[in-house]
Amino acid sequence: MSEHNTSRLERIRADYGTWAPAYDWFARATASIGGIRAACVDQLNLEPGATVVEFGCGPGVNFPALRAAVGSTGRVIGIDVTKPMIDRARSLIARRDWDNVEVICADATTPPINSVDAVVATFVTSLFDNPQVVVNEWCHTAETVVVANFVPGENAIANVGLWAFTRLNARLFDLASDTNNALTQLATRTAASRHALETQMDSIVTTRHLFGTIVIHAGRESTNEAHEKQ
């Protein structure tokens, strides 16, 4: 593992680990705002019995909707690199007594999976210095890949909020040495995620939410190619 990748993991683990309790509360309190998480699940087109992987699952905010989509015969796998987040996700699974949901502490850039039906990641790829490479890898494991990202829009007030968010989390977004490129970097990394889906998948659907500051890209393979991947 490269020194740069190690430092990235250390930043994510340290920052998200520290904020895990607050993040858990905030994510659950805002889960329905803008219909973003529900839109991601809808774009996955999951059927009962399917297996879906969520990269950057955090405390498991998306698990209820994902589990409802795959049914009791399906499988939900959450992957996160931060142990405090994984611990909270495991607690949720135990409280709900879910026997078809599991979590793995691992890095999404080197996914510990081979072949699944679908992959979803909400607000994760902006943390990677090369999202295209990472999402390319995800596309090799699933027939449907859905990613939600922050991105500057046409609403100036919303853009100010995005800029403040990235500055508050400068270490996560690799912005410590440059205070002026926050929005540009968000746009670049979101575009890289989309480009990966465009080059790897047969079709892509894009929707915008919350004044255009959040974009969802859903890439899908054709039925024949998806069958061959299995």
Side-chain angles (χ1 to χ4, degrees):
M1 184 179 295
S2 69
E3 181 179 349
H4 176 76
N5 198 46
T6 300
S7 63
R8 178 188 64 82
L9 290 179
E10 289 173 349
R11 289 196 304 271
I12 292 173
R13 283 171 173 153
D15 288 19
Y16 275 115
T18 299
W19 288 100
Y23 180 89
D24 192 357
W25 173 85
F26 178 78
R28 295 183 194 286
T30 61
S32 62
I33 292 179
I36 298 154
R37 297 181 187 275
C40 286
V41 175
D42 288 344
Q43 289 292 346
L44 287 167
N45 285 341
L46 294 169
E47 296 182 356
T51 296
V52 58
V53 169
E54 180 182 9
F55 288 116
C57 68
V61 176
N62 293 328
F63 287 175
L66 293 172
R67 187 175 182 275
V70 302
S72 60
T73 59
R75 187 181 177 201
V76 178
I77 303 172
I79 295 175
D80 201 285
V81 76
T82 308
K83 188 177 183 300
M85 291 291 190
I86 286 290
D87 290 342
R88 286 182 167 272
R90 286 192 174 125
S91 294
L92 173 65
I93 293 169
R95 290 197 307 272
R96 300 290 182 90
D97 196 25
W98 290 333
D99 59 4
N100 63 336
V101 183
E102 64 177 296
V103 289
I104 302 171
C105 191
D107 185 2
T109 65
T110 54
I113 57 173
N114 293 317
S115 180
V116 296
D117 296 299
V119 161
V120 61
T122 56
F123 314 116
V124 173
T125 61
S126 295
L127 303 178
F128 305 138
D129 58 354
N130 195 337
Q132 184 172 343
V133 170
V134 179
V135 178
N136 277 345
E137 185 65 25
W138 297 352
C139 291
H140 295 158
T141 67
E143 60 189 72
T144 301
V145 176
V146 174
V147 294
N149 293 306
F150 294 110
V151 65
E154 297 180 357
N155 187 295
I157 296 176
N159 285 344
V160 170
L162 276 182
W163 182 88
F165 171 76
T166 55
R167 290 309 313 151
L168 183 63
N169 297 277
R171 291 198 331 142
L172 287 174
F173 291 98
D174 305 316
L175 292 170
S177 62
D178 188 346
T179 61
N180 298 315
N181 74 342
L183 294 184
T184 299
Q185 181 163 292
L186 279 179
T188 299
R189 292 185 175 183
T190 296
S193 298
R194 177 186 172 89
H195 187 62
L197 296 177
E198 288 175 334
T199 58
Q200 298 294 324
M201 299 303 216
D202 295 317
S203 63
I204 182 171
V205 173
T206 298
T207 58
R208 284 183 173 266
H209 306 262
L210 285 180
F211 308 105
T213 59
I214 294 175
V215 63
I216 298 174
H217 298 308
R220 301 184 182 88
E221 285 193 344
S222 66
T223 303
N224 291 337
E225 291 185 359
H227 180 72
E228 290 175 1
K229 182 180 291 186
Q230 299 292 329

